[in-house]
């Protein structure tokens, strides 16, 4: 099975392998089924090469689970090149025993890009459409997001590593708005950005089966969907089914000492990597007795000795 067939094909089939071995294809099928082998299936994967994947991912997850006090957290991204497709044939509606059917031919009126910012606290979306997908449009959208919040309120923005997010225009914007902090997802890990979930819903519920008579019609329907979505919006709550693969948290300089004390107490963290990370960031760490973690009444008192504060 580890060697491909000699006839130029990429994988074995039951009949192809049966001819090679001189047996019946049913024998091959039963053997594969018993061994859990499915040569006709193939899945793709993305290998993450970011050496700081865990630290970056934990930073973003911490913003979701325990956001800084009195701060706003936004997940920002753009869905580019959305096509305004108009069907040339009429759509045949759903009927008993028959799915809705669309013709293959279409007319393409043009494209537009959708910028969206998901406010993680409320689940509401701020959106804007643009004809082009540039760094200038991204900065203009960031200005729109910042304008929705009180002046000087801390704002944390989660974004991916698109080149348009790391230009001199973006740097100049951050210099003008000291209360705004950008958090970039690890390389090839846009799935950590919660706004991607909203884009998935938008694709399935509006774009995929939509009929758009013009670019302006596409814009109207996209923004109309988002307005209705905001009326019933709720925060996204992620769950992780395999606790053995959870990512350890990291310390952010903007976090308070009490928050991390509570975090240590709640999660019973005794991992050496946490201690190393604390020390790397300039915190003096004192060993905590393991038996105190088994006695909740003593945990808070003993934790006060765990982190003494940043060294001078």
């Amino acid at each position: 099975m580890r060697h491909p067939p000699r006839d130029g094909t990429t994988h074995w089939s039951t009949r192809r392998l049966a001819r090679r071995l001189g047996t019946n294809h049913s024998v091959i099928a039963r053997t594969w089924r018993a061994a859990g082998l499915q040569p006709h299936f193939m899945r793709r994967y993305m290998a993450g090469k970011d050496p700081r994947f865990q630290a970056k991912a934990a930073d973003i997850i911490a913003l979701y689970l325990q956001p800084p006090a009195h701060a706003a957290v936004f997940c920002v991204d753009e869905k580019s090149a959305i096509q305004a497709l108009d069907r040339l044939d009429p759509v045949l509606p759903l009927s008993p025993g028959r799915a809705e059917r669309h013709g293959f031919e279409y007319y393409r009126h043009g494209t537009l890009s959708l910028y969206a910012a998901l406010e993680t606290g409320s689940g509401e979306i701020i959106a804007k459409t643009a004809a082009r997908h540039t760094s200038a449009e991204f900065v203009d959208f960031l200005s729109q997001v910042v304008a929705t919040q009180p002046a000087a309120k801390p704002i944390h923005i989660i974004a991916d590593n698109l080149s348009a997010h790391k230009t001199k225009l973006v740097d100049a914007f951050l210099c003008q708005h000291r209360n705004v902090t950008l958090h970039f997802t690890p390389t090839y890990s846009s799935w950590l950005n919660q706004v991607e979930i909203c884009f998935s819903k938008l694709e399935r519920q509006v774009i995929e089966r939509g009929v758009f008579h013009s670019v302006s019609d596409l814009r109207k329907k996209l923004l109309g969907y988002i307005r209705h979505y905001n009326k019933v919006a709720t925060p996204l709550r992620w769950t992780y089914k395999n606790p053995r693969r959870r990512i350890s948290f990291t310390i952010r300089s903007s976090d308070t000492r009490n928050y991390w004390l509570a975090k240590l107490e709640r999660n019973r963290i005794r991992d050496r990597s946490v201690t190393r990370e604390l020390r790397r960031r300039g915190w003096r760490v004192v060993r905590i007795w393991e038996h105190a973690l088994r006695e909740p009444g003593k945990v808070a008192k003993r934790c006060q000795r765990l982190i003494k504060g940043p060294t001078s």
Side-chain angles (χ1 to χ4, degrees), residues 142-203:
L142 291 183
S143 300
Q144 180 179 336
V145 172
V146 171
T148 64
Q149 302 299 312
K153 180 178 181 178
I155 299 174
H156 297 265
I157 294 178
I158 299 169
D160 59 23
N161 291 275
L162 189 69
S163 59
H165 300 167
K166 297 182 176 182
T167 64
K168 293 181 179 180
L169 285 175
V170 177
D171 293 339
F173 172 83
L174 295 176
C175 289
Q176 295 172 3
H177 300 81
R178 297 291 184 178
N179 59 318
V180 178
T181 304
L182 278 181
H183 302 260
F184 293 106
T185 61
T187 307
Y188 304 133
S189 301
S190 293
W191 51 270
L192 278 170
N193 195 332
Q194 288 189 350
V195 77
E196 296 291 348
I197 299 175
C198 301
F199 282 159
S200 176
K201 290 182 179 180
L202 187 72
E203 177 68 31

Side-chain angles (χ1 to χ4, degrees), residues 41-214:
F41 279 147
M42 188 270 292
R43 296 184 183 275
R44 301 189 185 276
Y45 70 94
M46 177 67 71
K49 300 179 181 179
D50 193 329
R52 298 192 64 246
F53 169 82
Q54 182 163 326
K56 292 180 180 179
D59 180 56
I60 291 173
I61 293 171
L63 287 174
Y64 294 150
L65 300 181
Q66 294 287 345
H70 311 296
V73 179
F74 290 93
C75 296
V76 175
D77 202 1
E78 52 275 302
K79 188 173 180 62
S80 59
I82 305 174
Q83 300 184 84
L85 301 181
D86 196 354
R87 303 294 171 181
L88 299 182
D89 299 316
V91 176
L92 302 181
L94 171 74
S95 62
R98 187 180 70 179
E100 179 181 308
R101 293 189 288 177
H102 289 227
F104 286 97
E105 293 187 308
Y106 61 84
Y107 180 80
R108 182 173 177 271
H109 292 284
T111 63
L112 58 76
S113 295
L114 174 69
Y115 291 84
L118 171 70
E119 205 279 304
T120 60
S122 64
E124 295 184 357
I125 298 174
I126 301 171
K128 165 197 167 181
T129 59
R132 301 180 62 193
H133 179 217
T134 64
S135 182
E137 293 289 353
F138 177 68
V139 169
D140 183 68
F141 181 63
L142 291 183
S143 300
Q144 180 179 336
V145 172
V146 171
T148 64
Q149 302 299 312
K153 180 178 181 178
I155 299 174
H156 297 265
I157 294 178
I158 299 169
D160 59 23
N161 291 275
L162 189 69
S163 59
H165 300 167
K166 297 182 176 182
T167 64
K168 293 181 179 180
L169 285 175
V170 177
D171 293 339
F173 172 83
L174 295 176
C175 289
Q176 295 172 3
H177 300 81
R178 297 291 184 178
N179 59 318
V180 178
T181 304
L182 278 181
H183 302 260
F184 293 106
T185 61
T187 307
Y188 304 133
S189 301
S190 293
W191 51 270
L192 278 170
N193 195 332
Q194 288 189 350
V195 77
E196 296 291 348
I197 299 175
C198 301
F199 282 159
S200 176
K201 290 182 179 180
L202 187 72
E203 177 68 31
R204 289 180 281 109
Q205 299 178 7
V206 180
I207 300 174
E208 184 178 10
R209 294 165 63 171
V211 178
F212 309 106
H213 305 298
S214 63

Side-chain angles (χ1 to χ4, degrees), residues 52 250-253 276-283 310:
R52 298 192 64 246
T250 59
I251 303 296
R252 296 193 306 271
S253 60
R276 287 196 298 269
E277 181 65 21
L278 286 166
R279 284 175 174 158
R280 188 182 70 81
R281 293 172 178 264
W283 292 72

